[in-house]
Amino acid sequence: MRKTTKISIIVCFIGVSLNVNANLFNTWKSIEQGVSNSIKQTKTGGEAIGSAVNKKIISPVKNVVSGAKNTIKTIEDALKYYDILNDASAEGYRSSGGHKFQQPSFFAESDGELKIAIFNVKGFPVKLNGISNETAGRISTQIINDSGWDIIGLQENWVRNNAIMSKINKTKYPYLSDHFQGNASTFGDGLSLISKYPFAARQEHVKYNKCHGTYLMLVANLTSSPDCETEKGFTFARVYLANDLFIDVYNTHMDTAQGAVKQSQFNQLEAFIASKSQGNPVIVMGDFNSWIDNNQAQGGASAGGTFASNLGLTWACDIAGPTYSNKEKKCSGVDHLAFRGNNQFSFRVENEKEVKQTISDHHPLVTTLRWTNHAAR
């Protein structure tokens, strides 16, 4: 987790303390200790970072709080320190150690099978109800490496990328996406791709234009999820199964909010796919934070249905039948996969199932597709 995300939490607690002036200084003491310890436990070089945060953030903000005593006028008095670490914060991309992209020289057979897994790995720091590095490593060693899956899309891989990717069997899965760390004040999008088949490691990352929820809103009980503190969106990667067979793979994590925000995110993803992948085979997978049933997304919005029909996509769960425990809805749950072929290659669903595990609160959802090469017949 980056330093500016930690300072977001500091500001969040300050917001609480403004409403409870009698406890202001006791609250600050716990903030100082908790944030410093958390940073040391969640990032390599934590001691140096902790020292920098103490010097540039904790001490200046403490002075603001102490000087104002019980009369801090606005949260902005503290928020102005939020940007101090922006220039020094980790951001951008970091290699996950995968192989460089090389397009296959062989051509597609007449047909084949493809297993795609969607796995929200709960990759938060432990103090934010996430998982440790040791636990994250077990995602690779105990779940992925011997799974037989072909392409794996991860969500919520925010601060455990190295722990997961370093344990991936590179012989079985040589292609790994670079880790997108976001900008100076966010988690990044937490979206990663692992594949047996080649793709360029530097995926295209697109942030959704609309979101809902901040840390301060969480404190004020105005939201249950501060989605705007991340860069939720989608990624694009062109995965080559053969020289003449590639699939445009989209991996997404949408907001927990429904209604206008969710509709906007579906619309944005639809517009991008329509422009980028015209005429191409497509797989869209991820955590949509919505069930989808009878061409409607959660809350009655038609976003999920119109998104699929406008792009010629089919929700795999519509074909495979109930995947989750809720048997009344074909597409219950929040993790989904949609697909389409083109004139040369068609796809059909063989099955879709959850794989039970105990590491994350999301079980991997695995869809098996059969593809047919009509040009080879």
Side-chain angles (χ1 to χ4, degrees), residues 12 15-16 19 214-223:
C12 186
V16 175
N19 294 321
T214 64
Y215 285 127
L216 292 178
M217 291 175 67
L218 181 67
V219 167
N221 292 320
L222 297 176
T223 184

Side-chain angles (χ1 to χ4, degrees), residues 146-286:
D146 295 323
S147 65
W149 304 334
D150 297 302
I151 299 172
I152 302 102
L154 304 182
Q155 301 84 41
E156 292 192 4
N157 182 25
W158 277 305
V159 300
R160 299 299 177 222
N161 187 73
N162 184 63
I164 293 172
M165 297 301 190
S166 65
K167 298 294 185 179
I168 286 289
N169 185 324
K170 305 300 193 299
T171 300
K172 294 181 178 180
Y173 295 103
Y175 301 99
L176 310 173
S177 62
D178 290 346
H179 182 49
F180 177 55
Q181 301 174 109
N183 64 38
S185 59
T186 67
F187 277 109
D189 58 20
L191 299 171
S192 303
L193 199 65
I194 299 169
S195 177
K196 292 181 178 179
Y197 299 105
F199 69 94
R202 187 62 52 85
Q203 298 182 101
E204 190 167 349
H205 292 254
V206 180
K207 182 182 178 180
Y208 285 124
N209 295 327
K210 289 188 177 181
C211 63
H212 176 77
T214 64
Y215 285 127
L216 292 178
M217 291 175 67
L218 181 67
V219 167
N221 292 320
L222 297 176
T223 184
S224 61
S225 181
D227 287 323
C228 295
E229 301 297 344
T230 69
E231 289 188 286
K232 283 187 175 178
F234 58 89
T235 59
F236 164 78
R238 185 158 288 169
V239 180
Y240 280 79
L241 275 62
N243 180 275
D244 58 338
L245 172 54
F246 65 79
I247 303 172
D248 287 350
V249 175
Y250 294 86
N251 184 19
T252 187
H253 192 184
M254 290 186 172
D255 272 25
T256 55
Q258 307 302 324
V261 170
K262 186 60 61 67
Q263 183 72 58
S264 172
Q265 293 182 352
F266 269 113
N267 290 346
Q268 185 179 346
L269 178 56
E270 177 186 327
F272 188 95
I273 294 173
S275 174
K276 193 81 168 184
S277 299
Q278 185 175 6
N280 297 340
V282 168
I283 287 173
V284 185
M285 61 175 166

